[in-house]
Amino acid sequence: MSAGVASPVAGKVVAMGDVPDPVFAQQLVGPGVAIEPEGGPQEALAPIDGTVVTLHPHAFVVAGADGKGVLVHLGIDTVKQKGEGFTPHVVQGESVRAGQPLIGWNPDSVRAAGYSAVVPVVALDAAETALSEMLTDGEAAAGERLFVWE
């Protein structure tokens, strides 16, 4: 069963290999694409329908009914912010719909703290060949499909 994975934020599409973190750039947790978000306060949206299986102030994983998990990481090294500037709207174990706001944040605040605000969207433990119809450049709207996971 294939599923479309939507962008959690609006911004410029960035190749995973260009993310300034080796874990994401080398696709050690899985393939995907990243978004350099627009500035200002915004909401990070659920990329798929499913259950929030992991929730941190700066990152979350939503697993679909088929068990496929999508990781969304709001910025790089933002764990060092210890939750400051991030407002979760859901709890771990909650069922969510694609496009539902999950975490409020401000990419400009992340940048001001000295971190990259780029947002990797990762198909956890997937083979790169399992992803198709990947957006590879240009702009993505929040909620717009980034790729299909076969």
Side-chain angles (χ1 to χ4, degrees):
M1 182 172 114
S2 65
V5 176
S7 183
V9 297
K12 183 181 183 312
V13 177
V14 176
M16 198 62 83
D18 293 333
V19 171
D21 180 287
V23 171
F24 293 114
Q26 296 172 25
Q27 301 186 33
L28 298 178
V29 292
V33 68
I35 303 294
E36 182 62 48
E38 298 171 349
Q42 56 183 268
E43 303 292 333
L45 310 178
I48 60 172
D49 292 343
T51 302
V52 179
V53 295
T54 303
L55 180 65
H56 300 283
H58 65 282
F60 56 86
V61 175
V62 177
D66 57 5
K68 293 176 179 173
V70 178
L71 166 66
V72 174
H73 202 283
L74 302 174
I76 301 301
D77 291 331
T78 46
V79 67
K80 294 175 183 171
Q81 291 185 265
K82 298 183 169 86
E84 187 175 327
F86 298 92
T87 307
H89 303 307
V90 294
V91 295
Q92 194 164 310
E94 188 170 333
S95 292
V96 297
R97 305 284 300 164
Q100 179 178 336
L102 300 188
I103 297 177
W105 73 306
N106 187 334
D108 288 337
S109 296
V110 169
R111 292 179 188 110
Y115 304 110
S116 168
V118 73
V119 178
V121 181
V122 180
L124 288 174
D125 300 321
E128 194 167 359
T129 56
L131 306 186
S132 63
E133 299 179 44
M134 179 93 59
L135 277 185
T136 57
D137 60 9
E139 299 286 322
E144 181 179 350
R145 189 173 72 199
L146 293 176
F147 55 86
V148 173
W149 189 351
E150 302 297 333

